Amino acid sequence: MYSFLINHISIFFTISLIITHSSSTTIHSQNQDHKHPHVWHKFNKLINAKKGNRIEGIVDLKRYFHHFGYYHHVFPSYNLTETPFTNVFDDHLERVVTRYQKTFGLPSTGALDPSTLSLIMSPRCGVPDHKIINLKNTNKRPSSSLHETRHYLYFPGQPRWTREIPINLSYAFSREDMINYLSMQDIKGAFQRSFLKWASIIPVNFYETMDYDIADIKIGFYSGDHGDGEAFDGVLGVLAHAFSPENGRFHLDADETWAVDFDTQGSKLAIDLESVALHEIGHLLGLAHSTTEESVMYPSLKPREKKSKLRFDDIEGVQNLYGTNPNFSLGSLLESETSSSIQCIDHLRSTLLHKFASFVLISIICLCL
């Protein structure tokens, strides 16, 4: 028995060090998370609010809906100067909430039920939801039909990059407006993977240039008001925003905790950089927000959530604008998704077996001491 302990003492200390490191990382993350409260956490007190209620904070919710376009969509002639917002849950707000619920497939109660409030409080893209038109309102037909139900949407006028096919677009990173806790290699890697995913389905190529001033797409991290009229609002509010073609501006909120690997970033507030990059590139290409939750172009993304695969709506929507990459096939997409699912299952099985083996080893050592 003692020989067993001697032979495995190094494993015991290794496991102890791992547990200690994990604990310290968790404590650090919790301290960091405590310092930066959720910017929309204040809406918690509005749970189950409905028409007729007067609650402190409703005025902020009205500003939220105004920012994301819902007042303009429901009341095109609404004048904020003539009718300033108050803390009364009025008829206007009920109609706005109902419209929001219908947009995202929630029960149309007109009240702030838990599911509605949960979505409202989710971190999201800063591009408004109202500046969109559906394909059915245009005379253009899709280049391919991946499925019958369409949820992809466009900006008014269906703007796109109007260049000769295949299109070549350059991108560059701001030298001054970056974050310093991720390496440039990791940041560039996340963006490169995201650009390649879009390029694999449409005849558009993306390449990096060091000349920021002439780049078609300009990428940077900013805090608060940064001069484009779309100020960032702090942690876990608006994550990023990008402009429709052919503007090319792509801004990310520097106050977020950006991550390229959740295994090395323990913060509960961590946001996956590649998922956000993939989404915002969709805007740069001309896609607006999708109402399909699985879609990359869905406006919300929870902390520690990954959306790094283009879905059918994303693909069909962008191919309607640019056509299809000659090397793309629906079969290869399905094969890739099936392979990824198998890899995820294998990874989960391997992780569980490793944790179980570690648990058994620690239990044996504890019983022998």
Side-chain angles (χ1 to χ4, degrees), residues 161-222:
W161 294 85
T162 54
R163 301 183 184 181
E164 186 177 350
I165 300 292
I167 297 173
N168 294 299
L169 297 177
S170 60
Y171 66 91
F173 298 90
S174 170
R175 293 184 178 182
E176 296 81 17
D177 304 299
M178 296 299 292
I179 51 177
N180 57 18
Y181 54 87
L182 291 178
S183 69
M184 280 305 299
Q185 181 179 356
D186 284 341
I187 293 172
K188 289 185 176 184
F191 277 89
Q192 185 179 43
R193 290 189 295 273
S194 299
F195 280 120
L196 284 173
K197 287 171 185 175
W198 287 107
S200 69
I201 62 173
I202 55 176
V204 178
N205 301 311
F206 302 92
Y207 65 96
E208 184 183 359
T209 177
M210 302 308 294
D211 195 334
Y212 182 81
D213 293 331
I214 67 169
D216 296 308
I217 298 169
K218 298 176 171 64
I219 303 166
F221 293 79
Y222 304 88

Side-chain angles (χ1 to χ4, degrees), residues 12 40 54 67 77 88 96 136 171 206 231 262 291 297 312:
F12 173 73
W40 290 328
R54 178 188 289 272
H67 175 80
S77 60
V88 175
V96 164
K136 67 183 181 182
Y171 66 91
F206 302 92
F262 287 143
T291 57
M297 295 312 298
F312 289 143

Side-chain angles (χ1 to χ4, degrees), residues 67-105:
H67 175 80
F68 290 113
Y70 286 90
Y71 270 87
H72 177 77
H73 190 82
V74 179
F75 308 104
S77 60
Y78 192 92
N79 189 316
L80 192 56
T81 304
E82 295 178 0
T83 313
F85 290 146
T86 68
N87 281 315
V88 175
F89 199 127
D90 51 28
D91 179 66
H92 282 167
L93 180 57
E94 182 184 49
R95 292 174 63 184
V96 164
V97 171
T98 300
R99 176 66 185 186
Y100 179 82
Q101 292 168 329
K102 288 181 178 179
T103 298
F104 294 107

Side-chain angles (χ1 to χ4, degrees), residues 20 83 90 147 153 158 204 221 255 272 276 297 322 343 363:
T20 302
T83 313
D90 51 28
H147 59 112
L153 300 156
Q158 279 190 251
V204 178
F221 293 79
D255 291 337
D272 183 54
V276 173
M297 295 312 298
Y322 296 96
Q343 289 177 3
S363 299

